[in-house]
């Protein structure tokens, strides 16, 4: 009875871990993007779809165990390949002792003929599939300025110059970034400064930057000057045109203009 109870607890713990993994995927925009790509490429074939919470609740754990046992119970269905710097004279006794003595599964033959295998029910698209997944243009440029705003105000609850004094002498670096489909936090620290990098990570997720009147004026002047300098550069116009052609004018790849810069909502950023 105790053994059965322990096994039941292990099954419940494993299910909880799988559920948490599925829930984490559902919160990830990049996961939704990759799922949609697979749905298009494989015509919605269930083999390539990620498991959902509803399907997870229907899983029969005992049947899963039986399936695993059936899948790995007949050695005649497998072809074993050994690679590496191993001498045949040393390998042969081990194969004879441990592998050749595995009993054959009754009523089951050798490997299945690949010509008898039923293929998965899908076919690839015959032509390219184009789908637009966009956010409003004004929202995008406001969001694209969030890194500039956060770096000026301090994403870790302190102004950059103050944080620099706090971390003086410590080898710690941490920075958030956003892309089209993902958000990441990357950093590094020496083994003796792990506590500091963990504290920064905690502050990043618990700090709400606050704008003070006029605080961003100098930064926005610098950004504007950078945009004006780009507009005076013929090479910038050339690269911008290449991106417009390659990406069909998608605003994600367009540089911000002075007019769009004036519409940026710093509070929202």
């Amino acid at each position: 009875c105790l053994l059965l109870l322990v096994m039941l607890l292990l099954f419940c713990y494993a299910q909880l871990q799988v559920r948490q993994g599925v829930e984490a995927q559902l919160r990830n925009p990049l996961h939704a993007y990759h799922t949609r790509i697979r749905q298009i490429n494989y015509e919605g074939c269930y083999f390539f779809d990620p498991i959902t919470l509803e399907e997870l609740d229907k899983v029969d754990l005992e049947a899963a165990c039986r399936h695993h046992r059936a899948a790995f119970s007949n050695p005649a269905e497998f072809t074993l390949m050994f690679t590496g710097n191993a001498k045949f004279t040393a390998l042969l006794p081990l194969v004879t002792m441990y592998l050749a003595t595995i009993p054959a599964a009754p009523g089951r033959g050798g490997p299945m003929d690949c010509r008898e295998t039923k293929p998965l029910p899908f076919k690839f698209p015959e032509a390219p599939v184009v789908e637009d997944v966009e956010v409003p243009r004004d929202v995008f440029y406001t969001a694209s300025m969030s890194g500039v705003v956060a770096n000026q105000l301090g994403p870790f609850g302190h102004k950059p110059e103050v944080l620099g004094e706090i971390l003086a002498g410590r080898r710690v670096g941490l920075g958030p970034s956003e892309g089209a489909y993902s958000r990441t936090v990357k950093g590094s620290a020496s083994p003796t400064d792990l506590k500091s990098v963990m504290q920064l990570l905690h502050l990043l997720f618990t700090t709400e930057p606050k704008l003070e009147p006029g605080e961003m004026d100098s930064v926005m002047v610098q950004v504007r000057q950078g945009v004006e300098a780009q507009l005076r550069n013929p090479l910038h116009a050339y690269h911008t045109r290449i991106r417009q052609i390659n990406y069909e004018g998608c605003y994600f790849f367009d540089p911000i203009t002075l007019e769009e810069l004036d519409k940026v909502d710093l509070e929202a950023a």
Side-chain angles (χ1 to χ4, degrees), residues 133-146:
V133 182
E134 298 183 352
V135 295
R137 191 183 183 101
D138 55 339
V139 174
F140 166 74
Y141 285 112
T142 291
S144 68
M145 288 294 295
S146 64

Side-chain angles (χ1 to χ4, degrees), residues 224-235:
R224 174 175 287 274
Q225 290 173 345
V227 174
E228 292 171 344
Q230 287 181 332
L231 293 175
R232 295 192 297 268
N233 185 354
L235 188 59

Side-chain angles (χ1 to χ4, degrees), residues 25-26 28-45 48-50 124-125 127-134 181:
Q25 287 180 333
L26 293 175
N28 185 357
L30 187 60
H31 171 72
Y33 172 71
H34 287 159
T35 299
R36 183 58 187 146
I37 289 178
R38 288 194 297 269
Q39 288 175 339
I40 293 173
N41 285 340
Y42 301 110
E43 284 194 321
C45 177
F48 301 96
D49 279 347
F124 294 112
V129 178
V130 178
E131 291 186 359
D132 291 331
V133 182
E134 298 183 352
Y181 305 106

